């Protein structure tokens, strides 16, 4: 149910770093839970600690591969293209990973958002 509520927040308000981290964490917790159930059925719970460590490493690697700030920009720009509100102020606070995507999308975002994006991230 937490995952469903998170999806509702993401659909209503877009992605933030916290929502992206939580999204990935919930997926990895589900993987860990399935692994726990399998170990329980096989009566091998002593192998849970390495499984938990592997899940923690998988979470960290997933965030690195996902490039969270670029992911946030892509999804929030897609929401904006679908007619939803774009929180340009939030996007300007993201890391430099977000800048190329923001600059590339300047022609596609609402005019008031372009002004906000250009104030804090002028194109090179």
């Amino acid at each position: 149910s937490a995952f469903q509520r998170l999806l509702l927040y993401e659909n209503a308000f877009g992605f933030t770093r916290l929502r992206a981290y939580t999204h990935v964490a919930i997926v990895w917790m589900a993987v860990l839970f399935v692994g726990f159930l399998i170990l329980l059925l096989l009566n091998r719970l002593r192998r849970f600690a390495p499984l938990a460590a592997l899940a923690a490493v998988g979470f960290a690697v997933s965030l690195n591969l996902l490039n969270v700030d670029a992911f946030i920009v892509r999804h929030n720009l897609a929401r904006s293209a679908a007619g939803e509100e774009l929180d340009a102020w939030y996007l300007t606070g993201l890391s430099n990973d977000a800048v190329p995507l923001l600059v590339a999308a300047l022609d596609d975002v609402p005019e008031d958002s372009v002004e906000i994006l250009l104030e804090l991230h002028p194109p090179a």
Side-chain angles (χ1 to χ4, degrees):
S1 80
F3 192 71
Q4 289 175 332
R5 284 192 302 261
L6 181 61
L7 290 175
L8 289 173
Y9 269 103
E10 292 163 353
N11 288 332
F13 303 110
F15 276 87
T16 62
R17 281 187 182 140
L18 181 60
R19 290 181 193 136
Y21 296 154
T22 305
H23 197 108
V24 174
I26 288 174
V27 170
W28 277 102
M29 284 190 292
V31 168
L32 190 58
F33 182 67
V34 169
F36 172 77
L37 290 177
I38 291 170
L39 291 175
L40 182 65
L41 291 173
L42 297 175
N43 199 21
R44 303 198 190 251
L45 283 180
R46 288 184 178 211
R47 295 186 182 175
F48 181 73
L51 177 65
L54 183 64
V57 170
F59 171 73
V61 169
S62 296
L63 291 178
N64 192 26
L65 292 175
L66 183 62
N67 190 353
V68 174
D69 288 351
F71 173 83
I72 292 168
V73 171
R74 275 193 308 273
H75 284 276
N76 287 355
L77 289 175
R79 286 184 71 252
S80 176
E84 299 291 333
E85 185 178 345
L86 179 67
D87 187 357
W89 285 109
Y90 181 78
L91 296 180
T92 61
L94 298 175
S95 72
N96 289 337
D97 291 339
V99 174
L101 295 169
L102 291 172
V103 170
L106 285 176
D107 294 334
D108 301 327
V109 298
E111 197 64 37
D112 58 334
S113 295
V114 171
E115 293 174 14
I116 293 169
L117 294 173
L118 287 177
E119 280 181 26
L120 299 173
H121 291 294

